[in-house]
Amino acid sequence: NAHKWLAPSSTDSRGPCPGLNTLANHGFLPRNGKNITVEMILDAIHQGFNVDPTSDVIRLAAKLGLLTTDNLAMSLEELALHGTLEHDVSLSRSDVFPDGSGDNIHFNETVFTTLAQANPGSDVYNVTSAAATMDKRLALDKIENPGLTNTVKEFFIRAVESSFYLSVMGDPIKGVAKKEFVQIFFREERLPIAEGWTRPTSLITTDLLGNLVGQIQESSHWSPSGEVVCPWIRLQP
Ligand code: HEM
Ligand code: MG
């Protein structure tokens, strides 16, 4: 099976995105995680997750990925360039910290605790729990990293990423996903096919994602904080 899950080798490139790492671990993206083009990403997200390859948000994300490298194609690790797409207050990775001492690439179970323990008493995550998880991560991270960046830009990207795990691992219309599937996706960067997950049957469009992002943002009690008040984007390495 061409799309069997295989753990990456020590020379394969993996990065801060559990979605793209998963696609590489299943061979929807090159398993070495290198020389990845915008078209390869659009193809892979469609084949693997049934995300609309014509979606403007997805296309924007894929194109921004190219800013993280001086080459004309990206590696998964290069995507960790702080301030292009990578941001503080991730769900499953540490901040890089102002002195560069943090690991913003690899899965971190301590950071992931907040999402792992969210929505107690239920088997699923939903838009409300996703928003509460974002709020709690921010509160905890402010203690850990007082210099963190938290503008509307980071808030928007974080809400999009929450809409991603709810939709690709669950029901993209309702925004409800089984905890078990989401946790396997983050911890193992594997499609939980053996556990009963199937590729979403409806195309995950910008409209569906935007609807979930809106609900997540409405339910969150977010406000901006820190020294950096104006959103900015790093244009090159
Ligand atoms: C982060 C899923 C597409 C680049 C994330 C996160 C999730 C996710 C859930 C949050 C991780 C965390 O907070 O710990 C997905 C899914 C995708 C997808 C399911 C398929 C539709 C993309 C694309 C790009 C991208 C097209 C651009 C090339 C990133 C980067 C991060 C990230 C750089 C790190 C942000 C951070 O947490 O600091 N992704 N993603 N992703 N994604 Fe993706
Ligand atoms: Mg991050």
Side-chain angles (χ1 to χ4, degrees):
N1 182 333
H3 296 298
K4 178 175 139 70
W5 183 88
L6 288 174
S9 80
S10 62
T11 58
D12 291 340
S13 179
R14 293 293 182 270
C17 176
L20 299 180
N21 290 350
T22 299
L23 292 169
N25 290 342
H26 282 276
F28 290 107
L29 284 173
R31 290 184 184 269
N32 70 8
K34 296 172 190 169
N35 284 303
I36 294 175
T37 63
V38 168
E39 277 195 295
M40 288 163 91
I41 291 178
L42 299 179
D43 227 50
I45 53 138
H46 182 233
Q47 280 191 63
F49 297 136
N50 207 11
V51 171
D52 185 357
T54 72
S55 160
D56 49 5
V57 198
I58 298 287
R59 287 184 168 209
L60 175 62
K63 288 153 107 179
L64 286 173
L66 284 176
L67 297 180
T68 65
T69 176
D70 289 326
N71 304 319
L72 298 175
M74 65 198 103
S75 75
L76 296 181
E77 185 171 354
E78 285 171 323
L79 292 172
L81 186 73
H82 183 65
T84 304
L85 287 161
E86 199 283 320
H87 53 77
D88 293 332
V89 204
S90 297
L91 297 165
S92 66
R93 270 72 172 162
S94 162
D95 294 351
V96 68
F97 289 97
D99 66 357
S101 64
D103 177 356
N104 63 351
I105 295 182
H106 297 96
F107 175 81
N108 179 318
E109 185 68 44
T110 307
V111 172
F112 188 64
T113 307
T114 304
L115 178 55
Q117 296 181 350
N119 216 18
S122 169
D123 291 339
V124 297
Y125 298 123
N126 54 37
V127 287
T128 323
S129 75
T133 301
M134 286 175 57
D135 291 350
K136 187 163 180 200
R137 273 290 302 132
L138 180 58
L140 291 171
D141 207 31
K142 281 179 178 170
I143 302 165
E144 203 74 27
N145 179 14
L148 62 78
T149 303
N150 176 41
T151 74
V152 285
K153 177 195 154 185
E154 287 75 29
F155 180 52
F156 175 72
I157 298 179
R158 292 169 61 220
V160 170
E161 290 162 354
S162 292
S163 79
F164 279 166
Y165 74 73
L166 290 175
S167 53
V168 303
M169 285 297 119
D171 177 342
I173 297 163
K174 296 200 186 79
V176 174
K178 274 195 186 167
K179 287 181 177 178
E180 186 192 14
F181 295 172
V182 172
Q183 291 177 14
I184 290 167
F185 169 78
F186 274 98
R187 289 193 174 113
E188 301 177 42
E189 301 188 328
R190 171 168 76 75
L191 296 173
I193 296 164
E195 290 78 8
W197 175 89
T198 53
R199 180 176 177 265
T201 48
S202 50
L203 188 68
I204 302 177
T205 59
T206 301
D207 278 6
L208 289 180
L209 291 169
N211 174 46
L212 297 180
V213 169
Q215 290 183 56
I216 293 165
Q217 289 191 321
E218 290 239 323
S219 171
S220 162
H221 297 93
W222 179 84
S223 58
S225 62
E227 298 281 306
V228 183
V229 290
C230 188
W232 54 277
I233 183 155
R234 187 184 290 191
L235 300 178
Q236 59 186 60

